[in-house]
């Protein structure tokens, strides 16, 4: 598993006061297309926070169901990449947060079922939609979107790095 480490303040593990774990999924079909969420003029991989006492596999299934309406039925998966972010005084002073984001590849030809999607208010306000994009054109699409709308949160930069890791392992 390839690791991406962001640690601008050179924090050590013993400096961390809180750990947040997330999963993000590259949901790919047999036509070599990736399914992405699009909201607030920004693309994102489906995924989200691992809840207390939840296994990663359960988080993947729950998040995919909530964001795409696709019910996945598998028992195990291994991440191909992990983003480890160390943040000083965040979310508030005297708190140092470590965010671990695990990236998984899931191959499925199941189609999104919008009747099963459970969007947050923020996603609804951002006109959330699902888009299939060819893996051959994903970098171009992401860069075009950034040129049009920016990348203030660095999500696209992260996505491009993960897509590069994904393609280089094939």
């Amino acid at each position: 598993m390839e690791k991406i480490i962001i640690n601008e303040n050179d924090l050590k593990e013993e400096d961390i006061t809180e750990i947040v774990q997330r999963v993000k999924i590259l949901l790919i079909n047999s036509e070599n297309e990736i399914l992405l969420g699009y909201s607030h003029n920004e693309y994102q991989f489906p995924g989200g926070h691992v809840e207390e006492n939840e296994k990663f596999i359960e988080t993947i299934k729950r998040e995919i169901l909530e964001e795409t309406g696709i019910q996945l039925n598998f028992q195990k998966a291994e991440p191909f990449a992990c983003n480890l972010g160390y943040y000083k005084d965040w979310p508030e002073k005297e708190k140092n947060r470590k965010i671990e984001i695990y990236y998984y590849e899931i191959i499925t030809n199941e189609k999104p079922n919008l009747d099963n999607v459970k969007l947050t208010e923020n996603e609804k306000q951002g006109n959330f939609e699902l888009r299939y994009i060819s893996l051959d054109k994903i970098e171009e699409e992401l860069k075009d979107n950034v040129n049009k709308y920016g990348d203030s949160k660095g999500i696209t930069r992260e996505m491009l790095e993960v897509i590069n890791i994904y393609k280089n392992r094939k």
Side-chain angles (χ1 to χ4, degrees):
M1 172 175 57
E2 189 154 340
K3 292 183 181 176
I4 303 163
I5 299 173
I6 301 163
N7 191 356
E8 295 172 2
N9 292 295
D10 293 322
L11 293 173
K12 297 184 176 23
E13 292 298 326
E14 57 267 20
D15 300 326
I16 299 302
T17 58
E18 178 182 46
I19 297 175
V20 174
Q21 294 180 317
R22 302 185 72 198
V23 298
K24 292 190 179 181
I25 299 94
L26 280 69
L27 205 58
I28 299 168
N29 66 20
S30 61
E31 309 223 352
N32 216 26
E33 297 170 320
I34 186 168
L35 183 61
L36 299 177
Y38 189 78
S39 179
H40 297 285
N41 297 319
E42 197 164 56
Y43 284 103
Q44 291 198 29
F45 297 124
H49 288 85
V50 178
E51 295 178 357
E52 193 172 337
N53 298 319
E54 188 176 47
K55 294 182 174 136
F56 284 17
I57 200 81
E58 295 167 338
T59 305
I60 292 168
K61 289 177 181 182
R62 177 181 51 77
E63 289 290 345
I64 292 298
L65 182 60
E66 288 176 359
E67 295 181 16
T68 70
I70 296 172
Q71 181 116 28
L72 294 173
N73 188 19
F74 61 96
Q75 301 310 314
K76 62 184 212 176
E78 293 295 324
F80 67 87
C82 180
N83 185 329
L84 301 172
Y86 297 80
Y87 303 97
K88 185 174 178 55
D89 295 328
W90 192 74
E92 59 191 62
K93 196 150 182 59
E94 304 298 321
K95 293 208 175 177
N96 298 326
R97 181 179 281 182
K98 178 181 178 184
I99 300 176
E100 303 173 352
I101 305 173
Y102 296 90
Y103 298 89
Y104 293 82
E105 169 199 44
I106 303 293
I107 306 294
T108 183
N109 284 319
E110 295 292 322
K111 299 287 185 212
N113 179 349
L114 300 180
D115 293 335
N116 287 340
V117 172
K118 293 180 182 157
L119 300 179
T120 65
E121 281 307 310
N122 185 43
E123 289 167 332
K124 290 175 188 173
Q125 291 170 3
N127 298 314
F128 182 86
E129 61 182 87
L130 294 167
R131 297 181 181 177
Y132 277 105
I133 301 170
S134 166
L135 273 174
D136 295 336
K137 297 188 172 161
I138 187 70
E139 290 101 338
E140 180 183 335
E141 176 65 27
L142 293 174
K143 289 174 185 174
D144 286 349
N145 197 68
V146 164
N147 288 335
K148 224 176 186 179
Y149 301 110
D151 187 26
S152 62
K153 298 176 192 162
I155 293 170
T156 303
R157 181 178 23 92
E158 170 194 332
M159 290 178 74
L160 287 166
E161 196 165 355
V162 169
I163 288 166
N164 185 48
I165 291 169
Y166 175 76
K167 286 184 172 183
N168 284 335
R169 63 185 263 283
K170 290 290 177 179

